[in-house]
Amino acid sequence: MNQNNNYWKARITCFQGAFFLLFIVGIYFVHIPWNIERLGISELELGIGILIFGISNFVSNQLTGRLIVPLIGTTKSMAIGISIVSFCPFLLISAPNYEFFLLSWIPFGAAVGLYVPSAQTQISLIESKTSKIITPIYQAFYSLGSLCGALIAGVFIKNIPDPKITFAAFGLCLIISSIYILIFGLKSKYDLKTKIVKFKFPDKNILVFGFMMMVTFATFGIIIDWSPVWITKDLKAPIYVGGLVIIFFNLGEIISRLLSNKLISLFNEKIVGGYFSLVASIILASSIIIFDIYLIAFCAFIFGFGTANFLGIVLREGVKASQETLSVSVSNLMTIGFSGFIFGPALIGFSAEYFGLTFNMYMLCLIWFLNATLFIYVKNKLQTVV
């Protein structure tokens, strides 16, 4: 019982780390239009920066699951990752030129690639030891962090003229978060015990579920990275409301993830993960046709609610289907998933420049519709096999 209690308490450090990670990221994303104008760069050039983030993240993900976590454990990996993230947005908004801006994405991607798989591995470990489902609630703290970041950013943009002050102050919050993880996180004797694993090509199930995660991450940036630019550019809204879609999207995500256990119990994982996402994509597409900012914001809430649990359900299904160790399974799924950040930003940036950001929003809805359909098909096939 005492051992299970130690695992259960450790979830708090994972939750607060997820919150602060997306909190500072959420603040930065609302500043993207300002930073684009400051540097005088195009949407395609911004996409190249996010592409570099994806490549750095891809490499870091594999090193984390196969080398770093086996060597130092999940808790220390999480603390190091958060501490590095603390200064990355500051580098991005203070970059004197485009070249330095691109270089600043490298430590950012590496740090996220260190924290996220380590924290998810620890969450999966806690679930296995306590027999409780906490992945959706853990992911709700990512959404909550992004939401609070977007809200705070609007206030700070209006009242604090120098963003360097904002990012220096909140960077300090992440340093405190990393110290909290080290002090109160899962102790070494309870942490995952695994050997260094050589690279091996993932099995078929990991590839299938990883592909669904990859598509999710590839399109994720359309809402989080690009919606502030879309709102201010195509819908002609002022910059301080640029985070409106992010705010409503994250509100929907948070509510859905907090209710995830009840929703799955009331329906099932196929309906919550698949059919909810499918219907939500149709609703968001309909609002874009009407092109009213307030209707779009409301439908972004529905889209966030409908798609919120897709990633968590796919991740859990992938881990259950894998024959590898826990850290390697999570690492492979996250690596394949985050590879969406490699090609996604470049494609999004290209299409934004040549076809427009509104076109990207329509594509977001179509791709989510197809991805949800694929999940329903795979889930049906697995149930038939069983």
Side-chain angles (χ1 to χ4, degrees):
M1 181 63 71
N2 185 50
Q3 179 175 318
N4 284 350
N5 192 42
N6 281 304
Y7 284 111
W8 189 240
K9 286 181 179 179
R11 80 196 191 284
I12 302 300
T13 57
C14 298
F15 292 169
Q16 66 86 30
F19 173 85
F20 281 111
L21 173 62
L22 261 292
F23 178 74
I24 200 164
V25 169
I27 295 175
Y28 174 71
F29 283 147
V30 177
H31 281 80
I32 283 178
W34 171 86
N35 212 22
I36 287 177
E37 185 177 349
R38 179 183 72 87
L39 291 168
I41 60 177
S42 67
E43 288 89 349
L44 179 59
E45 288 171 317
L46 172 63
I48 293 171
I50 304 173
L51 166 65
I52 292 172
F53 169 92
I55 295 172
S56 177
N57 184 279
F58 182 91
V59 174
S60 179
N61 252 302
Q62 280 297 299
L63 289 175
T64 297
R66 298 176 183 277
L67 179 63
I68 298 175
V69 166
L71 284 176
I72 65 174
T74 56
T75 300
K76 291 177 182 176
S77 299
M78 290 162 56
I80 295 171
I82 286 290
S83 62
I84 297 173
V85 169
S86 66
F87 62 82
C88 291
F90 183 88
L91 292 178
L92 289 168
I93 60 96
S94 59
N97 52 54
Y98 181 59
E99 289 74 20
F100 192 88
F101 173 78
L102 292 180
L103 289 173
S104 299
W105 287 102
I106 297 175
F108 202 177
V112 173
L114 180 57
Y115 176 82
V116 173
S118 301
Q120 183 60 60
T121 298
Q122 189 167 120
I123 287 291
S124 297
L125 178 64
I126 294 169
E127 287 182 327
S128 68
K129 297 294 184 179
T130 62
S131 300
K132 296 180 182 291
I133 299 174
I134 57 173
T135 292
I137 298 173
Y138 159 69
Q139 290 180 341
F141 279 87
Y142 282 115
S143 303
L144 182 61
S146 180
L147 170 63
C148 292
L151 289 170
I152 290 293
V155 175
F156 274 69
I157 286 173
K158 290 191 70 174
N159 296 286
I160 297 181
D162 188 0
K164 291 180 182 179
I165 298 173
T166 301
F167 287 101
F170 288 115
L172 180 61
C173 291
L174 268 75
I175 294 294
I176 296 172
S177 171
S178 67
I179 295 171
Y180 180 85
I181 291 171
L182 284 175
I183 295 174
F184 298 103
L186 191 65
K187 304 304 178 186
S188 297
K189 63 179 180 179
Y190 300 115
D191 209 342
L192 188 68
K193 303 295 189 299
T194 183
K195 296 179 180 179
I196 296 174
V197 181
K198 293 181 180 180
F199 178 79
K200 186 175 71 173
F201 199 73
D203 62 44
K204 180 182 176 181
N205 287 330
I206 289 289
L207 290 174
V208 171
F209 287 107
F211 173 80
M212 288 184 247
M213 292 177 63
M214 178 184 69
V215 172
T216 301
F217 284 118
T219 58
F220 184 68
I222 298 177
I223 286 281
I224 302 300
D225 298 358
W226 292 98
S227 66
V229 183
W230 177 57
I231 286 176
T232 55
K233 188 174 181 179
D234 288 16
L235 277 72
K236 309 299 181 184
I239 189 170
Y240 61 85
V241 297
L244 196 63
V245 168
I246 297 176
I247 290 169
F248 277 86
F249 173 76
N250 283 324
L251 271 173
E253 275 196 327
I254 292 166
I255 294 171
S256 182
R257 285 172 174 171
L258 291 176
L259 295 173
S260 59
N261 288 344
K262 291 183 179 180
L263 289 171
I264 292 171
S265 298
L266 183 62
F267 302 102
N268 56 53
E269 291 183 322
K270 182 172 68 176
I271 292 175
V272 175
Y275 287 104
F276 275 30
S277 299
L278 193 147
V279 172
S281 63
I282 295 173
I283 292 173
L284 182 62
S286 302
S287 72
I288 297 170
I289 294 172
I290 298 172
F291 217 65
D292 178 81
I293 187 172
Y294 299 106
L295 178 62
I296 290 170
F298 175 73
C299 291
F301 172 87
I302 297 174
F303 185 73
F305 186 92
T307 61
N309 295 301
F310 180 85
L311 190 62
I313 290 172
V314 169
L315 181 61
R316 290 183 66 247
E317 290 290 324
V319 169
K320 286 192 294 184
S322 176
Q323 303 299 316
E324 299 284 357
T325 63
L326 180 58
S327 65
V328 172
S329 298
V330 172
S331 176
N332 282 335
L333 285 166
M334 297 305 296
T335 299
I336 297 170
F338 272 101
S339 67
F341 279 125
I342 295 179
F343 67 87
L347 289 176
I348 292 167
F350 176 84
S351 62
E353 187 156 332
Y354 291 96
F355 302 105
L357 291 168
T358 301
F359 171 82
N360 281 353
M361 293 299 294
Y362 282 123
M363 289 305 298
L364 168 72
C365 300
L366 175 61
I367 292 170
W368 264 97
F369 181 90
L370 296 174
N371 207 28
T373 303
L374 174 62
F375 173 76
I376 294 167
Y377 170 78
V378 172
K379 188 69 175 171
N380 285 338
K381 193 172 181 180
L382 287 175
Q383 288 175 340
T384 302
V385 171
V386 174

